[in-house]
Amino acid sequence: IGQPAPKTSLPPILALKSMPGIAPDDLKGKVTVLNIFASWCGPCRDEHPVLMELAKDGRFQLNGVNYKDKPENAAAFLNELGNPFAKIGSDVSGRAGIDWGVYGVPETYVIGPDGVIRYKHVGPLDTESAKMLVDEAAKAAAP
């Protein structure tokens, strides 16, 4: 928190047609909420309805990083539960996760328009933690 977001450049999940990956510039210029998830992660499945609701909030862009996952499994997960993300980067090797300091999945970050990490939530989001996350995103958007 308080540090520039890592310069993350991740390819798209090829099994998801027309869904862009993530480039460093995607984390600047607007408030971004970045969720690290995987299809093999039970708590990721539990938090998914919360992410679907967060995606409706126009004050920030919700992006995802698919962590140490098979592309076809990630696509099946999102096709089954819905895709809340504007962009998704595929981190098959886990290298980007190391750069971000990921302890485990899920983890969610709020990045300000200046590209600085403002908030980090470790573990699955629920209604209460999502409200806190949205509050932090609103603070990040304030001049």
Side-chain angles (χ1 to χ4, degrees):
I1 296 175
Q3 298 297 314
K7 299 221 180 292
T8 302
S9 184
L10 292 170
I13 297 171
L14 295 179
L16 292 172
K17 304 287 186 237
S18 72
M19 176 61 57
I22 294 178
D25 287 345
D26 293 333
L27 304 177
K28 288 188 177 178
K30 63 191 164 303
V31 177
T32 304
V33 173
L34 185 73
N35 179 259
I36 315 292
F37 76 99
S39 66
W40 47 262
C41 162
C44 295
R45 183 172 288 274
D46 294 341
E47 84 169 353
H48 204 79
V50 175
L51 294 175
M52 293 299 289
E53 285 302 310
L54 285 175
K56 297 174 185 175
D57 193 317
R59 294 175 288 180
F60 53 83
Q61 183 174 66
L62 179 60
N63 291 337
V65 171
N66 184 237
Y67 181 72
K68 293 186 176 182
D69 207 353
K70 293 181 181 175
E72 60 275 11
N73 292 348
F77 177 85
L78 294 171
N79 287 334
E80 176 189 345
L81 300 177
N83 184 357
F85 304 112
K87 299 178 181 191
I88 304 173
S90 179
D91 185 20
V92 175
S93 70
R95 178 67 208 162
I98 292 168
D99 294 343
W100 280 86
V102 171
Y103 296 108
V105 288
E107 289 188 12
T108 309
Y109 299 81
V110 173
I111 301 111
D114 56 358
V116 173
I117 298 170
R118 305 292 179 85
Y119 180 76
K120 177 180 180 179
H121 179 82
V122 177
L125 292 168
D126 57 20
T127 304
E128 186 176 317
S129 58
K131 181 184 180 324
M132 187 181 310
L133 185 117
V134 169
D135 290 346
E136 292 296 327
K139 285 183 204 172

